[in-house]
Amino acid sequence: MPAEIYLNVAVGGVLTGLVYGLMALGLSVIFGVVRVVNFAHGEMMSIAMYIAVVLFSAFHLDPLLMLVPVAAVMFAFGYALQAGVINPFITRPEHSQFLLLVAVAMIIVNVLLIVFGPDAKGIQTSYSYDSFQFGKLIVDATKAYAGLAALVVAAALFAFFKYTTLGTSIRACADNYTGALVVGLDVKHLYALTFGLGAACVGAAGVVLVLIVDVTPSLGHGYTLLAFVIVITGGLGSMPGALLGGLLIGLTEAMAGLLFSPSAKSMFSFAILVLVLLFRPQGIMGKRAA
Amino acid sequence: MTMLGRLIDGVSVRVLILLGVLAVALLIAPLIAGDYLLTVLILILYFAYIGQAWNIMMGFAGQLSLGHALYVGLGAYTAAALYVHFGIGPWLGLLVAVPVAALAGAFIGFLAFRFKVGGVYFAILTIAVCEFARVGFDHLAWTRGSSGLFLPVSQYSGNDLWHLRGRPVMFYYILLAATALAFVGCRALLQSRIGYFWRAIREDEEAARSTGIDTFHYKMIAVVISASMTSFAGVIYAFYYNNLFPEQVFHISRSIEIILGPIVGGVGTLFGPILGAFVLTGLAEILNNVLAALGIDLPGAKQVFYGICLLFVIMALPDGVWPWLARRMGLSERSK
Amino acid sequence: MSTLLKVEGISKRFRGLLAVDRLSFEVPKGAIFAVIGPNGAGKTTLFNMIAGVYTPDGGTITFRGERIEGLTPDKVCRRGIGRTYQIVRPFPALSVEDNVIVGALLHRNGVVDARAHALDVLRRLDLYDKRAQLASSLTLPDRKRLEVARALATDPKLLLLDEVMAGLRPTETDRIVAILRELNRETGLTIVLIEHVMRAVMALAGQILVLNHGKPIAQGEPQAVVHDKAVIDSYLGAEALS
């Protein structure tokens, strides 16, 4: 194989990885603050993917233009889910929370199945088959746009947490739950906001991902697992870690698909996960717990 | 005290009566039940048994495994492959299948407990190893990879217990015996030294260690026992369904099915896994029938209702159905 | 009297902060030995090193003639050192009796034996009547005594008590003091306690070690220590004597 194939695949993998990173960022934000493991994360993403598909087939709206509105819808969904269903569970044991979110995931998947049927749905944009060429390097236009969009959304989220008062209060809430209560922060509201933000993140990731991948109702759980692999690899609770983990897993999957077989992709990401868990349990960018 | 005396020590008369009625009902059920009801009962017993096995790890020792499909799959594939390739029957196959699953459990346990991978991380590790196995078996030619491993099937007039070739009623009684043994075995474990140490670890691992408990050792015992017990169900699964696909056997939704029963029934209780299996499998079948009677033929409709029911059950009964029921009926399981 | 516990030059550093600094002392067999000092003096760190939670950065800990520093907490406990935690941590969903049975099972194989021993210990600690309650339903004083009971059930030669009197009312303090003194007198159990409640310390301890910033500032008989100028300046304050 000529060397540029490797390079092309690697660049494609990194761009897809950025989208993975955005998806994982949502999970990381939710876990980092609310301390709930969102086992319905991938399923939430598939909702956003279907919204994008519907908007595209009905009104020919380009998914990239729909990014902000769909993310807003997902934010509302996430807020409502946390405020209405998950909040009573935040003090319950992990297996109980796990079961709750499994039930939520089950409902999402099957409602999608009832509404949209089992067939895969995708989006064919005017630029679906375009590509950019830089010397010998060829980059799919869709992947380039997708990666770029993911990066912009991630940057916006970083800015929110760093520069706004609300972002700072949420971080305070994550660092010290009791402390946040003591200084009078409305923790339940902040939790719901955070879950909404996480949902908006994964929603944006879904809108972008649907450019690259067709959506089916049962697509979700695979991405839930992938999001976990990425977040733990990058470091639970570390936002840059989630992005970096996404890049790493995207790259690994692409190379594994090229060198071995596409069906062995997940084996390599899980191998990375196991290695990270054993030798650097806090993740690549995570801080060591005292 | 005799063994039997110790087993029923502290159990109220009402619980003993309840157990007796349940045992008799289950023993005579196949005489009354039709084919359909029998298959449902087989499913219930299957989940009750595995739920009991999973409960040893989570309910007793506090280690959340989300990858128990791994041990089912290893048991099923080992026994099935030995049968298909060498004609070795399932009971002899168990002698290989159980150690294989036990080794897999010991491997996960060793990695996790040595490197102090706990809580959510441990759960994800168990999923990861199971996914690993799924992809691995997809590419393993000896077990026919993703095209599936099939056991030879024909019409059976009699039941060949030694080769597990026969009609559903045979599997029913085997699973009934297994579930009863698992129940008694778990009670004995819970009342033994190991059981006390497990519960101490579940409650507070650091305090358990400072009370002199070698937590690594006892957590390893929990994983190995749980994995071994689960693999037996895998062997039965293989010979009952006669076909195995990695995509199905090792799928994460299999692992989730396994743990729903004990969580809904009551984690850490002895009746929880059994009750949970009845409640959930019963619920699924009732939904099937109700939807069919209403003429609703939507794929997914059943699962939506199932999910909603699940949601309500866990919201209303955080500790599970059994502890609630036991309180209502004035029974209490002393060694929770 | 022979030495039961001998600590020689142990140190522990956390992120540059020296929590315990080359500390040495000896506890004779059968003694009640108190460690006092202001918050952050390194008392709990010292306990955690003896109990095996932390490995000292340097120095040795000798218990019954054998080196124990760096052993894991379960091994330390099996050698005969029982401990309680400053913030109590009984096994919440287990009954009082089962909590203590866990400890009793350390040196007993049979649950029947262990239960009998556990009930003896519970009687000693005035918890027998509450044996069927869940640990999580107990009041703080009861939970503190439950922790002592659980540690005691492991048949320790040395008991490490980390502030068992803190947060208790004077009558409850007196009750624990009486129980501990009786244990010490009847079974010869050696006790090392960290304590802020001077009333309890004065009533119990034969020897006091005063720590400040990880270093000993005084050691000796209670009356001598509380009149030591350095101790008064850094910890007790003059009003404690009045």
Side-chain angles (χ1 to χ4, degrees), chain A residues 39 89 92 94-95 98-100 102 106-107 110 113-114 221 225 228 236 261 263 266-267 270 273 277-278, chain B residues 58 66 115 120-121 124 127-128 132 135 139 251-252 259-260 263 299-300 303-304 306 311 314-315 318:
Chain A
F39 268 95
F89 276 70
R92 291 212 196 160
E94 277 155 8
H95 65 262
F98 166 77
L99 195 61
L100 177 78
V102 163
M106 194 184 284
I107 295 169
N110 290 288
L113 177 67
I114 293 171
H221 85 261
L225 287 184
F228 277 112
L236 251 182
S261 91
S263 66
S266 61
M267 202 157 163
F270 278 105
L273 171 76
L277 276 179
L278 298 185
Chain B
M58 176 64 211
L66 298 182
F115 290 87
V120 178
Y121 294 91
I124 306 277
I127 297 179
F132 218 82
V135 182
H139 293 86
H251 199 272
I252 178 156
I259 76 171
L260 288 182
I263 295 182
Q303 284 82 354
V304 171
Y306 187 83
L311 208 62
I314 44 176
M315 289 181 101

Side-chain angles (χ1 to χ4, degrees), chain B residues 189 214 321:
Chain B
L189 278 172
D214 182 346
V321 179

Side-chain angles (χ1 to χ4, degrees), chain A residues 177-243:
Chain A
Y177 175 80
T178 341
L181 279 178
V182 169
V183 297
L185 294 175
D186 181 354
V187 174
K188 285 202 169 154
H189 172 65
L190 290 179
Y191 275 3
L193 276 181
T194 308
F195 207 94
L197 278 177
C201 259
V202 75
V207 172
V208 182
L209 193 68
V210 83
L211 289 170
I212 312 173
V213 180
D214 287 353
V215 58
T216 64
S218 57
L219 186 77
H221 85 261
Y223 282 98
T224 303
L225 287 184
L226 193 67
F228 277 112
V229 172
I230 292 169
V231 163
I232 292 178
T233 305
L236 251 182
S238 156
M239 294 179 42
L243 271 189

Side-chain angles (χ1 to χ4, degrees), chain C residues 1-6 26-31 64-65 190:
Chain C
M1 262 192 294
S2 64
T3 301
L4 185 71
L5 177 76
K6 188 171 177 187
E26 284 183 22
V27 179
K29 201 164 175 234
R64 297 167 80 193
T190 311

Side-chain angles (χ1 to χ4, degrees), chain B residues 100-320:
Chain B
V100 166
L103 264 177
F107 170 75
I108 293 178
F110 182 82
L111 290 184
F113 306 147
R114 259 292 165 261
F115 290 87
K116 301 202 164 49
V117 176
V120 178
Y121 294 91
F122 178 73
I124 306 277
L125 179 71
T126 60
I127 297 179
V129 177
C130 191
E131 283 287 302
F132 218 82
R134 183 175 63 86
V135 182
F137 272 86
D138 255 343
H139 293 86
L140 187 64
W142 193 59
T143 57
R144 312 260 195 272
S146 55
S147 48
L149 183 61
F150 294 86
L151 275 72
V153 188
S154 59
Q155 279 299 323
Y156 302 110
S157 48
N159 292 316
D160 178 357
L161 190 60
W162 179 245
H163 290 104
L164 284 185
R165 308 280 72 193
R167 283 174 295 135
V169 69
M170 176 181 72
F171 291 94
Y172 175 84
Y173 280 113
I174 291 173
L175 282 170
L176 180 59
T179 308
L181 273 176
F183 179 83
V184 174
C186 281
R187 171 149 177 98
L189 278 172
L190 206 51
Q191 285 183 312
S192 71
R193 190 163 187 255
I194 290 179
Y196 276 95
F197 287 175
W198 279 341
R199 281 179 291 159
I201 292 169
R202 176 190 76 193
E203 292 297 312
D204 188 332
E205 189 164 343
E206 198 190 320
R209 202 176 294 129
S210 76
T211 314
I213 300 171
D214 182 346
T215 53
F216 176 81
H217 179 75
Y218 286 96
K219 287 195 289 183
M220 286 298 278
I221 294 179
V223 187
V224 168
I225 292 182
S226 182
S228 308
M229 272 176 74
T230 307
S231 67
F232 172 74
V235 176
I236 301 299
Y237 179 99
F239 282 78
Y240 180 64
Y241 286 109
N242 297 306
N243 61 70
L244 299 171
F245 296 91
E247 200 56 45
Q248 289 175 3
V249 175
F250 293 105
H251 199 272
I252 178 156
S253 51
R254 292 291 89 71
S255 297
I256 291 174
E257 277 171 10
I258 290 173
I259 76 171
L260 288 182
I263 295 182
V264 166
V267 171
T269 66
L270 290 167
F271 281 99
I274 300 174
L275 188 64
F278 269 97
V279 169
L280 288 178
T281 314
L283 176 69
E285 293 305 324
I286 290 169
L287 283 174
N288 266 344
N289 290 316
V290 169
L291 290 176
L294 293 173
I296 299 173
D297 185 25
L298 267 179
K302 176 192 142 190
Q303 284 82 354
V304 171
F305 284 114
Y306 187 83
I308 292 171
C309 292
L310 203 57
L311 208 62
F312 277 111
V313 170
I314 44 176
M315 289 181 101
L317 305 171
D319 299 327

